[in-house]
Amino acid sequence: MKKEFLVLILAAGEGTRFKSEKIKVLHTLMGKSMLQLVLDCVFRLRPEKIHIVVGYQKEDVMKAVLSRKVDFVFQKRQLGTAHAVLAAREVLKGDRERDLLIINADLPLLRAETLKPFLSLHQKEGNSLTFLSAELENPAGFGRILRSGDKIIKIIEEKDATPSQRRIKEINAGVYLFKIKDLLQALPKVSNQNKKKEYYLTDVIEILINENKKVGLYKTSLLEEITGINSRYELAKAIEAIRERKVKSLTEKGVTVYDPSTAWIDLDVKIGQDTTIYSSVIVEGKTVIGSQCQLYPFVHIINSRLGDRVKILSSTMIEESSIGDEAQVGPFTHFRPKTVIQEGAKVGNFVEMKNTTFGKHSKAGHLTYLGDCKVEGKVNIGAGTITCNYDGKKKHKTFIGEGAFIGSGTELVAPVKIGKKAYVGAGSTITENVSSESLAISRGKQVQILGWTRKKGKK
Ligand code: UD1
Ligand code: CA
């Protein structure tokens, strides 16, 4: 049976190489922060407890993981990774007989599947410490593993390494499994006599070896997973990898993605079977898309819901809205927040809606703005219809009843109601309610002056 273990995530450092106002670990990859991704990974290992060391911008970090079952430890000043672990000493004391998985929070590509055999190896070998390592063609930035023959001697950080040590390709990935009691007795022995004047967690390795404690390593060949994100370029590369993983998992669930290299689909997005994604589509946040939908090029969807068999034509933006089964939207449509498109409705070219419910099988084909509006079913909205919902101070509502017909070029000055099956003549400015089954028309009567052009010419 698997021994119980705890997790400690190191997330107190600022991440200066990022050159950002925001702490590094809150930068996001496809909708999730680095820290969240590391948490997702460790949660899947089902540890007994998870502690996160916070320091720099700790309020923001704590807020970002509020919904998670984790505890926080505070590292007042960021004096190095060993110092960060030391900050957790009090909470670890009670679990001296257990194991502790320590992870740097800048490893968002790490997966639980990779850590499982690492955990098993540590427990099987009964090590005081097992750490994750890899062999890299370009080891720049990582701590290198020094050996004498086969035997590990220590880890040397890049800044402290000699040129020949820097050529070592075997590196420390920043993931460690410790016997807590061995870790706690070794930590106070770490000094900061190095180039960075920091207390390095990696120095514990040499300390334990010199005390004849059993130290082992688990070498992974999954090099992508141990990418530590220290710079924005590394972040961009990691986003590429995560994006590809998401596209792959969607295709495995029956989604067709025509151009994986231009499909930007956030990790939390859900998409049903037989939906087709054309090139250059962006789907963000907690969007849920049904089955057999079609998303044409340059569609951008944020935190929205689409039913089944929905068709979204090119260059359409949908924010915090919901779209019913078999509706068709676009091209060039913009739904701002709180738009609800019901089943089978059709919304077309250059139509904008905001806080509007658009009823079943209603149509708005061209050049229309509907704001703060409730449109019932089977309504036809003519080209160029506009709700005048804002009087400069307040927003007002427009209601359009079932089966009504709004002629082209109509201005509906809210608050106003158009009754069921009513007609509004083209070019009207409607300022008063229109009764059901009535025709309202409000435009100047057309006059004609015969021969006007000729007479004008004579003058
Ligand atoms: C670290 C390792 C290095 C390893 C690499 C793997 C040390 C000394 N070095 O280097 O051997 O190859 O990771 O990616 O550990 N942190 C704190 N408090 C601090 C300092 C850092 O919480 O006082 C946190 C950071 O927020 C970060 C993590 O510890 O999540 C690692 O710190 P970072 O500065 O990125 O270490 P590296 O230089 O990458
Ligand atoms: Ca790092």
Side-chain angles (χ1 to χ4, degrees), residues 14 145 176 298 432 440:
E14 174 182 352
I145 299 170
Y176 319 81
F298 311 112
E432 281 165 32

Side-chain angles (χ1 to χ4, degrees), residues 10 12-13 17 75 78-81 104-106 142-143 157 172-173 200:
L10 308 185
R17 288 166 279 184
Q75 184 194 17
Q78 286 71 60
L79 302 179
T81 42
N104 291 354
D106 60 357
F142 287 92
E157 289 305 307
N172 163 38
Y200 294 154

Side-chain angles (χ1 to χ4, degrees), residues 31-283:
K32 285 192 162 181
S33 69
M34 271 187 227
L35 180 58
Q36 256 176 334
L37 285 164
V38 171
L39 272 172
D40 285 352
C41 166
V42 296
F43 264 106
R44 297 184 58 210
L45 299 170
R46 301 183 180 285
E48 208 187 346
K49 272 184 224 160
I50 299 175
H51 301 287
I52 304 178
V53 184
V54 294
Y56 185 76
Q57 293 188 352
K58 71 176 197 305
E59 285 80 14
D60 295 338
V61 177
M62 288 163 79
K63 215 160 75 194
V65 290
L66 213 54
S67 55
R68 296 289 205 172
K69 269 188 75 186
V70 296
D71 293 318
F72 297 98
V73 175
F74 183 40
Q75 184 194 17
K76 214 169 179 181
R77 290 165 63 211
Q78 286 71 60
L79 302 179
T81 42
H83 184 259
V85 177
L86 211 50
R89 186 173 37 189
E90 288 306 312
V91 298
L92 296 176
K93 263 185 180 165
D95 291 299
R96 297 175 62 84
E97 297 308 317
R98 297 222 159 89
D99 285 331
L100 179 69
L101 172 66
I102 300 182
I103 303 191
N104 291 354
D106 60 357
L107 294 166
L109 297 178
L110 203 57
R111 290 182 315 154
E113 291 69 35
T114 308
L115 293 183
K116 278 175 192 163
F118 168 56
L119 270 161
S120 311
L121 180 88
H122 173 74
Q123 287 169 3
K124 201 178 97 202
E125 292 188 346
N127 291 338
S128 279
L129 161 65
T130 314
F131 63 98
L132 191 66
S133 76
E135 197 91 27
L136 297 183
E137 244 346 279
N138 174 15
F142 287 92
R144 314 294 208 280
I145 299 170
L146 296 196
R147 290 179 183 262
S148 152
D150 263 358
K151 224 173 144 282
I152 303 165
I153 305 172
K154 64 182 281 187
I155 292 176
I156 181 107
E157 289 305 307
E158 176 154 290
K159 281 230 165 95
D160 302 299
T162 63
S164 73
Q165 287 170 336
R166 285 184 191 193
R167 283 196 288 275
I168 297 172
K169 291 181 170 160
E170 193 182 17
I171 60 92
N172 163 38
V175 184
Y176 319 81
L177 270 158
F178 280 100
K179 268 186 190 156
I180 292 180
K181 62 169 181 241
D182 292 335
L183 169 70
L184 289 180
Q185 65 80 24
L187 271 179
K189 299 173 189 163
V190 174
S191 90
N192 66 350
Q193 297 304 299
N194 51 53
K195 282 262 164 61
K196 283 173 94 180
K197 295 273 168 286
E198 280 188 5
Y199 297 90
Y200 294 154
L201 180 59
T202 44
D203 283 356
V204 170
I205 291 164
E206 189 183 15
I207 294 168
L208 290 177
I209 289 170
N210 290 342
E211 290 172 354
N212 292 319
K213 298 266 165 39
K214 229 177 142 193
V215 173
L217 55 74
Y218 177 83
K219 197 177 245 176
T220 181
S221 56
L222 301 167
L223 304 183
E224 176 189 283
E225 297 198 23
I226 53 137
T227 317
I229 314 294
N230 296 313
S231 70
R232 302 247 192 177
Y233 186 66
E234 283 163 349
L235 177 71
K237 287 292 176 195
I239 288 172
E240 210 173 287
I242 290 246
R243 204 178 51 73
E244 189 73 32
R245 276 187 200 172
K246 176 67 181 182
V247 169
K248 186 159 179 280
S249 92
L250 286 170
T251 58
E252 283 161 2
K253 287 175 189 143
V255 176
T256 294
V257 181
Y258 282 159
D259 183 5
S261 66
T262 62
W264 286 78
I265 301 168
D266 273 1
L267 288 164
D268 280 341
V269 171
K270 294 194 172 80
I271 304 183
Q273 199 177 313
D274 286 321
T275 284
T276 301
I277 314 278
Y278 285 70
S279 66
S280 303
V281 166
I282 303 177
V283 189

